[in-house]
Amino acid sequence: MEISEALLAQQQVVRLQALLEASRQIHSTIELDEVLHIALQIVVRELELTGAFFSTWSQTYGVIPAALQEAVASGLPLSELDYSLGTAMSFPLCDKVGVPFTQLVVLIPSGRTLDLDEVDFLEALSVQAAVAIENARFHKRSLQWQRVESDLAAARQVQLSLIPQQMPVIPDYHLAARSVTCYEVGGDYLDIVSMPCGDVIFVVGDVAGKGLASALVGTSFRSAFRAMVQSGLSLYEIATRMNLLHYGEGVEAQRRYVTAMLLRLDPALHTLEVVNAGHNPAFLACDGAVRTISASGAPIGILPFSSYVSEEFSFRPGTKLLVYTDGMTEVFCGDEEFGESRLLNMFLANCELSAEQSLDSFWNTLEAFSDAREQSDDMTALVLFRDR
């Protein structure tokens, strides 16, 4: 009796040592394919089985009939399966909250059954394999996310490089512009083009949506816009052709329509030409009076045809212009929106400041209003002041 108990104890020690060694091997890597291979190899070799596989992955070890994998994948109970190579058993693998995410299926040679110790070994090994597989999957997701973060960081640098890095010097005028995204990249578009004739063309746009998709559309919009500007087209022609081009790019582009304010300043004649394509109204202030420059047509790309109107304004001494995207008005304090009226009042209250100081004041006021909460939309503003 003592000899039998000693032998049993010795066998249990051997099994425990085998399990510890198996656990060490399984946790020796965080590469998913290697974890799967090691676990299956240990199962087949340690227990001298015909073969083994995990129901979620195609990788196998030993001899596994293709029909067995197909049956398991289709959800057929293993109790109904009997192969000439042996019988199959399964052991569930659960995540950290106890939800099964795969099963270890083993094929036992014909004429053999697993004893209690062998079943215990497989159950314990399944627990260790589940932890190792979860760690490997998390590691894989982390690597994928790191690649995404790296790509987004690079995209952000590219987008920042496309924003005007230096304001053109315009005699008798002061110009400042700022664009801040709420994510790594955004859908607001800001551009300034100085023409050989002396005119300066501005555009402030807002692609529907936020994030990478909108940023890609904004970059495409910029390329087309710049090409049309350099070809000498009028603002009306640019808006009309941009609309046809954008709409013609298909359903996804139409979902990412663009509101845009196109402006051309003639600093010699002190006139400002404006086309508002579905954008927020701009504010033009002079001598205590304020004019709003409202949309004359639909956003670019939302309809196959849209009629735009070019308006011209005199930019007399003391005139000040504010063009912005809706992120400037859609800042919230609880359920209360900052709104267009507050933005106009803020603009008028800062008319004595320089253009750059005005933008600093705008952003400080919006940050204070929102209690420094993270912005939920891209914010872009352009101010143009003429000296008195």
Side-chain angles (χ1 to χ4, degrees):
M1 183 67 176
E2 292 180 359
I3 295 177
S4 297
E5 290 179 354
L7 182 60
L8 180 60
Q10 186 177 10
Q11 290 174 341
Q12 289 176 337
V13 169
V14 171
R15 286 294 185 199
L16 181 58
Q17 289 175 336
L19 181 60
L20 289 173
E21 175 60 19
S23 177
R24 184 194 66 77
Q25 292 183 45
I26 290 173
H27 291 284
S28 66
T29 179
I30 52 176
E31 294 296 330
L32 181 59
D33 287 343
E34 292 180 12
V35 170
L36 298 175
H37 177 77
I38 291 171
L40 295 176
Q41 183 184 60
I42 290 172
V43 166
V44 174
R45 290 186 175 183
E46 183 67 27
L47 300 180
E48 298 179 348
L49 301 179
T50 304
F53 67 95
F54 291 104
S55 60
T56 309
W57 295 277
S58 60
Q59 191 172 137
T60 65
Y61 193 87
V63 180
I64 295 293
L68 176 57
Q69 282 187 285
E70 294 172 1
V72 170
S74 65
L76 194 64
L78 291 180
S79 59
E80 299 181 14
L81 304 177
D82 192 3
Y83 293 89
S84 58
L85 292 174
T87 56
M89 290 184 64
S90 70
F91 300 84
L93 276 67
C94 301
D95 60 21
K96 61 183 179 181
V97 296
V99 177
F101 64 87
T102 190
Q103 56 181 325
L104 170 63
V105 182
V106 299
L107 188 58
I108 306 164
S110 298
R112 180 184 163 193
T113 58
L114 299 181
D115 62 30
L116 185 59
D117 286 340
E118 290 173 324
V119 172
D120 287 343
F121 177 84
L122 286 170
E123 289 177 344
L125 186 69
S126 296
V127 173
Q128 295 301 316
V131 174
I133 290 172
E134 282 289 275
N135 289 340
R137 293 167 76 185
F138 177 78
H139 174 67
K140 186 176 182 180
R141 288 193 295 268
S142 296
L143 291 178
Q144 291 172 337
W145 178 241
Q146 287 174 12
R147 286 194 291 270
V148 170
E149 285 186 319
S150 177
D151 288 344
L152 285 174
R156 177 175 178 80
Q157 293 306 312
V158 170
Q159 188 173 50
L160 288 174
S161 71
L162 297 179
I163 297 174
Q165 304 299 302
Q166 188 173 350
M167 297 296 105
V169 177
I170 309 173
D172 301 325
Y173 289 86
H174 298 280
L175 172 67
R178 187 175 301 175
S179 185
V180 179
T181 63
C182 65
Y183 300 142
E184 287 80 359
V185 291
D188 278 8
Y189 169 49
L190 169 67
D191 207 355
I192 302 170
V193 182
S194 297
M195 303 298 290
C197 64
D199 290 357
V200 182
I201 297 179
F202 314 94
V203 59
V204 174
D206 186 0
V207 182
K210 294 181 281 293
L212 185 57
S214 296
L216 289 172
V217 172
T219 303
S220 174
F221 185 94
R222 177 183 187 273
S223 299
F225 171 78
R226 286 208 156 210
M228 292 185 187
V229 166
Q230 297 301 330
S231 67
L233 298 176
S234 68
L235 295 187
Y236 167 79
E237 291 173 318
I238 291 174
T240 301
R241 294 192 184 188
M242 289 288 291
N243 180 70
L244 287 171
L245 176 65
H246 194 101
Y247 185 86
E249 290 177 345
V251 175
E252 189 60 33
Q254 293 160 18
R255 289 180 59 245
R256 302 281 176 180
Y257 58 84
V258 184
T259 69
M261 183 79 74
L262 312 179
L263 310 101
R264 182 192 295 266
L265 174 69
D266 183 339
L269 298 177
H270 302 296
T271 57
L272 182 72
E273 181 189 2
V274 181
V275 172
N276 185 339
H279 199 71
N280 308 85
F283 300 135
L284 191 66
C286 185
D287 298 331
V290 179
R291 293 195 63 173
T292 58
I293 307 175
S294 300
S296 65
I300 290 173
I302 199 171
L303 297 172
F305 299 99
S306 185
S307 177
Y308 299 103
V309 175
S310 175
E311 301 180 79
E312 188 171 291
F313 302 91
S314 175
F315 223 90
R316 301 194 304 274
T319 301
K320 300 180 185 296
L321 172 73
L322 169 63
V323 184
Y324 58 93
T325 60
D326 57 13
M328 301 289 289
T329 58
E330 294 175 358
V331 173
F332 285 85
C333 177
D335 294 331
E336 185 178 4
E337 186 182 55
F338 189 76
E340 210 171 272
S341 296
R342 280 195 180 95
L343 182 65
L344 174 58
N345 292 334
M346 180 173 65
F347 172 57
L348 296 176
N350 287 282
C351 275
E352 299 306 316
L353 300 177
S354 69
E356 191 63 42
Q357 289 173 334
S358 294
L359 292 183
D360 289 337
S361 179
F362 292 172
W363 257 264
N364 291 337
T365 301
L366 291 170
E367 184 177 17
F369 178 81
S370 66
D371 198 21
R373 292 176 184 171
E374 189 174 345
Q375 68 187 80
S376 59
D377 198 0
D378 306 325
M379 297 194 299
T380 298
L382 179 147
V383 288
L384 178 66
F385 296 171
R386 183 183 171 189
D387 290 335
R388 293 187 177 275

